[in-house]
Structures are given as structure tokens and as C-alpha cells.
Amino acid sequence: MTRVATDDGTRVSIATFRALAKRGLVTRDTSTSLVIGQKITVTEQGQQALARPRPHAALRTAVAAPPKAAVAQGAHQ
């Protein structure tokens, strides 16, 4: 499972859910398992957090060096 759905049907990734839960921005009905279909509700503050633009990960600009050519060594005839 990679996504969970809120009461209003909004789907969020499990990583987003965990980040919101860690900050107390969701409530959940623990009478059922999250895998089976545990109901979650995103708080007002959680809704605001989801609406904000997410920061982009820093792009890596380093270019990998090309592999060095192997030097063939053998007997000369």
C-alpha cells in the first residue's frame, strides 16, 4: 500500500501520512487496521500544510566521471 484516503476521499502517500501523523496533523480511527481501511481525518492545520507548495529537493549538478578505459596488456608477437 502506498496511498491512504481521508474521509473526503483525498488520497495521500503513506510517506505524507506518516509525516502528518508525526506532527499531529491527522487523527485516525484506531478501531481498525490502517491496511484494512482505517479512517483518517486531516486537521485544518494539516490541510494548510498539504496546500502549501513543497520545497524541491536540491538538484545534484555533479557529473559522474566517465569510466577509465582498461589498458590491455599482453604478449607482443
Side-chain angles (χ1 to χ4, degrees), residues 31-51:
S31 64
T32 58
S33 161
L34 186 61
V35 175
I36 293 173
Q38 189 177 83
K39 292 182 181 182
I40 65 168
T41 304
V42 180
T43 65
E44 182 66 33
Q45 293 160 332
Q47 291 288 346
Q48 292 170 3
L50 288 172

Side-chain angles (χ1 to χ4, degrees), residues 14-38:
I14 194 69
T16 299
F17 167 76
R18 288 180 178 146
L20 291 170
K22 181 179 177 181
R23 291 167 180 80
L25 300 176
V26 293
T27 58
R28 56 187 180 161
D29 176 6
T30 57
S31 64
T32 58
S33 161
L34 186 61
V35 175
I36 293 173
Q38 189 177 83

